[in-house]
């Protein structure tokens, strides 16, 4: 190997010899084989293999391990930062596309952090959620544009026939993450937590494992271009069906599950041969127009006797409002808009970091457009991509979303440390892997409780914020941009957001 | 004075009187009711709605319009002339009093839409009038429609309500329903068009409170063609009732269940059919839930209705004496004009109290 081929490690593993008791826990736990033991049981780091997943640090009983940035340095350059230089060297070695996982980590402007929520003061009392009802129940699906009532036998009778809707106890959905990209134990944890919380989890495009059948009432099944796992039974074993057209981390890019992740279980669940690559192209090869999408929506509704909502997931792109309008008119019952901070198991780095638009702008634009066209009641709007905490969730609801999905946040609750190496299949935490030894580390009993706690915590915080805003029903928060003010955003951005600057 | 009993002047004052047989009474009584609640206002807004005041032209829409400038009036005049048959138009009579300063031009027009315009636009007369109101309020700067109903009118401005009443000489009018408001403005500075009542067609609303859901109420109404430009949250309440009751044909009590909806925990306990209805109402009109504190008095030619928010954050008292019904922010206000009430009680959170005039009154 020429010196030109060599890359410096990104991380440096420091083992404190005085603290190390040579128990080998760190070595056993490293899914990336970045730690070895010699014949004397001394721990030997292989810095090049470390991804900073931190599993070794968490399991070390004596806190003998530290992971740090590799201490070597280069001459400072604000334009050619070390990552870009390293990327060039990698591509000079391989001639390939740079891959990465999770959402973009670039310092693009974060609109969420420039938005501030309101609080009641003297003229309008805040509401104490501990003493007063605070309602965050939400319904996913198409609503009527008006209500028709008949007065009969001394009581009112509803004349409308309502379209199928799903009742959620909190406006949160676990984002689409496929079985294959994440482990079965991760899926089980999500499904169990969704049921306990009265919310939904999304299978992603990986099909529905038979162990999840019992959670059907809390599951959205996805129909992606690969049609993995899709048959009439699959469609019927869910509360809702979602057509995946795009995703925020890689708009215009399809999925690729490498063959080494396709074991017996993934193979049978996805209905593909074991060991083959699962390719789901960006285009559905039966959808080349909005009319084609409408036909697929109708087909899925026909296949399920019009008994459940059918949604469409699209990435937040430049013309997202017009696209969403088309999707609503194609008779989708809900639309997921996935912002450019959305996560993924694997994406071309350049796509992930440079395509798409922030979810805040996309939601504001879509909500505006659907209201202007008087079709807002036709669809629920689901915001996805980079929701980090309950305040982000509240802000995006105030901008016009009915629901949020959380992917990365739920993974972090499960143990993910955002090392961004999902695509290697070596996730030391047992989440983004199919290696049996790693998958076993994730205990659905334990992890589902973490997820339940997360949903509970966010829901409580949502209620607290609503109380501060002086509202006690989530219907009064959704699209209520009067409750937001912005700091240091341009006039154009404020115009799209429909939010006033702070101080006005 | 014992500190705990010290009076803290705050909040708006709302009041209403109705005679169910249609006996028209002068504005003195409602001005008396408002004067008792003087300290609930701060001189930056007062107003009255009166029903049955134009019995000589009961079938004409009467447009009460205020203008900041002569040129605004000229623009509105030409718009009205183009679209309406004008039965009569005149300056709204007022008198000079020291307390009311710098009033705008106040004009009223008794009109009917030109039949050919209705045919050309394929519109009902009410919708045509609503469209005109939106057009004037949004497109002609310095002009604001205060009321647009039949045989009724709104009189409002910047000042204490009892002074506004004297300014408009309300003692000379006879009405079978009066509602009134004294404003303690917080959202916007006191301005003439920002005073209550807010109205559209026959609907008038006076309101004590602050609507936290205003932002989404406004955006929801805009999708149905209502443009909320008067900068005050009460405007959305008037439009909400017009949309739900007149346009969508919901019974008033059902409309009240939209703006002060039942809690999910209560819906859960309802019989199946009722549960379906209330679930559908919240799913469909959730954005019209009025959140935040409110006590409102809604009136039309046919009834007067009081309603509180669903956790009862503002006061509203009902009193009854014979054929007279009263609503007010304070019981003292009712007692001022009727000391010997047959019945008096506070309204229950989220539960409307509607008193109707006899059928022949507005026939």
């Amino acid at each position: 190997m020429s010196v030109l081929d060599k890359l410096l490690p990104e991380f440096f593993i420091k083992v404190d010899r005085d603290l190390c008791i040579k128990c080998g826990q760190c070595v056993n736990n490293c899914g990336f084989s970045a730690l070895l033991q010699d014949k004397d049981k001394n721990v030997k780091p292989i810095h090049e293999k470390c991804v900073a997943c931190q599993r070794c640090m968490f399991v070390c009983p004596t806190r003998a391990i530290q992971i740090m940035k590799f201490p070597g340095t280069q001459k400072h350059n604000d334009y050619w930062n070390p990552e870009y230089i390293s990327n060039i060297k990698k591509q000079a070695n391989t001639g390939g596309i740079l891959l990465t996982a999770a959402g973009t980590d670039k310092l693009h402007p974060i609109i969420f952090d420039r938005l501030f929520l309101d609080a009641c003061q003297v003229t309008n009392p805040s509401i104490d959620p501990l003493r007063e009802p605070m309602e965050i129940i939400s319904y996913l699906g198409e609503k009527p544009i008006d209500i028709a009532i008949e007065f009969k036998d001394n009581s009112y009778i509803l004349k409308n026939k309502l379209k199928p809707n799903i009742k959620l106890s909190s406006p949160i959905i676990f984002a689409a993450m496929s079985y294959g990209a994440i482990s079965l134990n991760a899926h089980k944890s999500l499904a169990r937590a969704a049921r306990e919380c009265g919310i939904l989890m999304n299978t992603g495009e990986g099909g529905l494992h038979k162990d999840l059948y019992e959670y059907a009432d809390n599951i959205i099944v996805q129909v992606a271009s690969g049609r993995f796992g899709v048959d009439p039974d699959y469609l019927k074993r869910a509360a809702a069906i979602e057509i995946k057209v795009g995703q925020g981390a890689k708009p215009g890019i399809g999925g690729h599950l490498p063959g080494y992740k396709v074991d017996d279980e993934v193979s049978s669940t996805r209905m593909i041969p074991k060991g083959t690559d699962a390719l789901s192209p960006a285009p559905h090869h039966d959808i080349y127009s909005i009319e084609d999408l409408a036909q697929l929506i109708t087909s899925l509704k026909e296949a399920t006797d019009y008994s459940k909502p059918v949604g469409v997931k699209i990435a937040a792109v430049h013309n997202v409002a017009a696209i969403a309008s088309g999707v609503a008119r194609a008779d989708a019952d809900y639309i997921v808009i996935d912002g450019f901070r959305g996560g993924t198991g694997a994406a071309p780095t350049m796509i992930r970091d440079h395509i798409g638009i922030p979810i805040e702008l996309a939601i504001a634009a879509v909500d505006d457009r659907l209201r202007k066209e008087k079709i807002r009641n036709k669809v629920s709007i689901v915001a996805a991509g980079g929701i980090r905490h309950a305040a982000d969730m509240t802000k995006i609801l105030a901008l016009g979303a009915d629901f949020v999905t959380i992917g990365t946040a739920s993974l972090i609750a499960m143990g993910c440390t955002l090392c961004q190496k999902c695509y290697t299949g070596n996730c030391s935490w047992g989440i983004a892997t199919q290696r049996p030894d790693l998958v076993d580390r994730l205990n659905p009993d334990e992890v589902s409780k973490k997820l339940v706690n997360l949903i509970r915590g966010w829901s409580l915080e949502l209620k607290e914020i609503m109380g501060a805003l002086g509202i006690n029903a989530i219907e009064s928060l959704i699209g209520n941009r009067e409750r937001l003010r912005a700091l240091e955003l341009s006039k154009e951005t404020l115009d799209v957001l429909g939010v006033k600057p702070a101080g006005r | 004075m014992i500190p705990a009993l010290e009076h803290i002047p705050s909040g708006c004052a709302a009041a209403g009187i109705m005679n169910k047989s249609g006996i028209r009474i002068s504005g003195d009584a409602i001005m008396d009711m408002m004067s008792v609640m003087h300290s609930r206002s701060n001189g930056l807004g007062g107003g009255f709605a009166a029903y049955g005041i134009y019995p000589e032209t009961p079938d004409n829409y009467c447009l009460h319009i205020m203008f900041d400038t002569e040129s605004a009036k000229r623009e509105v005049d030409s718009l009205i002339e183009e679209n309406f048959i004008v039965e009569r138009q005149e300056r709204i009579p007022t008198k000079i009093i020291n307390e009311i300063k710098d009033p705008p031009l106040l004009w009223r027009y008794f009109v009917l839409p030109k039949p050919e315009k209705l045919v050309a636009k394929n519109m009902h007369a009410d919708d045509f009038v609503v469209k005109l109101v939106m057009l004037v309020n949004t497109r002609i700067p310095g002009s604001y429609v205060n009321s647009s109903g039949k045989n009724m009118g709104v009189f409002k401005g910047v000042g204490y309500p009892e002074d506004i009443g004297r300014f408009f000489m309300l003692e000379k009018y006879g009405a079978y329903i009066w509602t009134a408001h004294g404003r303690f403005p917080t959202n916007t500075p006191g301005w003439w068009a920002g005073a209550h009542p807010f109205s559209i067609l026959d609907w008038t609303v006076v309101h004590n409170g602050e609507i936290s859901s205003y932002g989404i109420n406004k955006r929801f109404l805009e999708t149905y063609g209502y443009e909320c430009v008067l900068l005050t949250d009460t405007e959305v309440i008037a439009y909400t009732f017009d949309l739900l009751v007149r346009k969508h044909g919901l019974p008033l009590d059902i409309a009240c269940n939209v703006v002060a909806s039942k809690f999910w925990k209560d819906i859960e306990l309802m019989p199946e059919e009722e549960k379906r209805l209330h679930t559908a109402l919240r799913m469909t009109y959730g954005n019209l839930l009025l959140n935040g504190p409110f006590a409102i008095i809604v009136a039309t030619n046919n009834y007067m209705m009081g309603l509180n928010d669903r956790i009862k954050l503002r006061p509203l008292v009902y009193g009854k004496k014979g054929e007279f019904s009263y609503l007010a922010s304070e019981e003292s206000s009712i007692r001022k004009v009727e000391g010997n009430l047959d019945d008096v009680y506070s309204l229950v959170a989220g539960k409307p109290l509607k008193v109707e005039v006899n059928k022949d009154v507005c026939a």
Side-chain angles (χ1 to χ4, degrees), chain B residues 11 13 34 61-62 91 97 111 165 175-176 182 221 228 239 249-250 280 289 297 303 326 341 353 355:
Chain B
M34 294 309 292
Y61 294 94
C62 179
R91 184 185 287 275
I97 62 171
V111 300
Y176 56 86
L221 287 165
C228 309
Y239 298 162
L250 296 182
L289 171 64
I297 301 173
Y303 51 78
Y326 304 89
L341 291 164
L353 189 147
V355 280

Side-chain angles (χ1 to χ4, degrees), chain A residues 109-151:
Chain A
I110 303 171
I111 295 172
F112 278 132
D113 293 343
R114 298 281 179 197
L115 291 175
F116 297 86
L117 289 152
D118 195 13
C120 292
Q121 298 295 311
V122 179
T123 61
N124 187 4
S126 44
I127 302 170
D128 180 358
L130 298 176
R131 296 173 60 238
E132 302 286 351
M134 195 58 68
E135 302 187 310
I136 57 171
I137 288 173
S138 306
Y139 280 82
L140 180 79
E142 178 179 348
K143 318 291 188 296
I145 55 164
D146 57 16
I147 290 291
I149 289 175
E150 185 185 28
F151 192 69

Side-chain angles (χ1 to χ4, degrees), chain A residues 212-244:
Chain A
L212 269 62
Y213 287 176
E214 62 179 292
Y215 302 101
D217 290 344
N218 298 91
I219 282 180
I220 299 173
V221 291
Q222 219 176 43
V223 175
S225 59
R227 299 287 190 268
F228 299 125
V230 178
D231 69 8
D233 276 349
Y234 170 76
L235 300 176
K236 284 171 185 164
R237 285 199 177 98
I241 301 165
E242 180 173 304
I243 300 166
K244 179 202 158 191

